[in-house]
Amino acid sequence: MIRLHVTPDLSASAAVAPTLDQSRYLTQVMRLKLGDDLLVFNGRDGEWRATLVEILKKGVILRAEDRVRPQAYGPDLELIVAVVKKSRVETIVEKAAELGAARVRLTITQRTNVDHVRLDRLDAIAIEAAEQTGRLDVPTVDDPQKLGAILDGWDPSRRLMFCDETGGAPVASAVTEPGPWAILIGPEGGFSPEERDRLRALPFTKAVSLGPRILRADTAAIAAMTLWQAAVGDWER
């Protein structure tokens, strides 16, 4: 069944007006007709079965019928990734949403080759991935911020899995405790010696290796999230 992320509150008999683009998708792409059902969620009120009740010139109206799943959230995992090429950033955001990350934080490191970032495009990718994977929330995507500023404001109760291409412990032995975590992926040129030294000196950081090969940023992000999920994430539930 079609799943759609919406912004209005959801409750029994509530009228829901999707965006114009969503309305066109429902009627012109998916060919829904009056009386057809779909699933909707907003990240707050769980998942609801809704019915298409009106087709207007500038959109459609849905009616929430009954809640089919209560609100639930995935693991408290953030992905921090250096800005890379547009297509690779888009892949990273998509896979982060599929793999259960709650937040994607873009960062600028000393070796980052900054490319243009369209947050509206990345938000749309995150929403589409959430719709397709069945999760009931959508990961947030943050504006790029310098790595030093992120570390300056760090909450030490959140452990940081630092993926270091120069070597580190295997993920299975370094990541053993559940709770708030973040995964840090560097730029294509790697972290600078100064950045690496600072990261390794932080008490909340776990330096890990992703194997004997140097991975591109998007591959590294997927591999790291997969290993983390297998170690302490909701794959263990």
Side-chain angles (χ1 to χ4, degrees):
M1 186 178 290
I2 297 168
R3 298 183 77 243
L4 195 69
H5 176 264
V6 297
T7 55
D9 293 338
L10 296 172
S11 60
S13 300
V16 179
T19 66
L20 181 57
D21 285 342
Q22 289 176 322
S23 298
R24 288 172 175 165
Y25 167 75
L26 293 177
T27 57
Q28 298 178 20
V29 178
M30 302 308 297
R31 303 293 185 182
L32 291 192
K33 300 178 181 178
L34 290 176
D36 286 346
D37 289 343
L38 67 155
L39 298 174
V40 295
F41 67 104
N42 60 10
R44 304 182 304 276
D45 301 318
E47 184 172 65
W48 288 72
R49 181 179 63 87
T51 301
L52 179 58
V53 293
E54 287 188 72
I55 299 178
L56 309 171
K57 291 183 178 179
K58 293 187 177 181
V60 303
I61 302 296
L62 310 175
R63 182 178 64 232
E65 303 289 0
D66 53 85
R67 189 169 69 172
V68 296
R69 283 198 290 167
Q71 184 62 41
Y73 300 95
D76 190 355
L77 173 65
E78 297 182 354
L79 176 66
I80 306 171
V81 60
V83 178
V84 289
K85 292 180 180 179
K86 173 186 173 182
S87 62
R88 297 191 183 278
V89 170
E90 291 181 353
T91 297
I92 290 168
V93 169
E94 179 184 67
K95 302 312 175 185
E98 292 180 9
L99 288 167
R103 182 183 185 188
V104 179
R105 305 180 69 178
L106 303 177
T107 188
I108 299 171
T109 67
Q110 292 182 15
R111 294 177 177 174
T112 296
N113 183 12
V114 180
D115 200 354
H116 178 64
V117 174
R118 281 188 54 192
L119 280 185
D120 60 336
R121 169 65 178 160
L122 298 180
D123 286 338
I125 290 171
I127 289 171
E128 183 177 350
E131 291 172 341
Q132 292 178 346
T133 57
R135 64 184 289 176
L136 295 178
D137 60 339
V138 177
T140 58
V141 184
D142 293 2
D143 276 312
Q145 187 178 15
K146 289 185 177 179
L147 179 59
I150 290 176
L151 296 177
D152 287 343
W154 196 266
D155 177 357
S157 68
R158 180 178 298 277
R159 290 177 289 276
L160 177 62
M161 181 173 136
F162 162 44
C163 300
D164 188 354
E165 70 272 15
T166 66
V171 174
S173 61
V175 179
T176 58
E177 301 176 16
W181 275 91
I183 295 172
L184 175 61
I185 304 294
E188 300 291 2
F191 294 101
S192 70
E194 297 81 8
E195 290 169 335
R196 186 174 293 107
D197 289 346
R198 180 179 182 186
L199 286 163
R200 284 182 170 270
L202 295 171
F204 49 79
T205 298
K206 300 285 187 179
V208 302
S209 169
L210 296 180
R213 290 166 289 279
I214 302 298
L215 306 178
R216 290 186 180 273
D218 50 341
T219 307
I222 295 168
M225 286 186 289
T226 299
L227 291 169
W228 184 92
Q229 278 282 26
V232 295
D234 59 10
W235 288 7
E236 290 295 291
R237 296 176 187 173

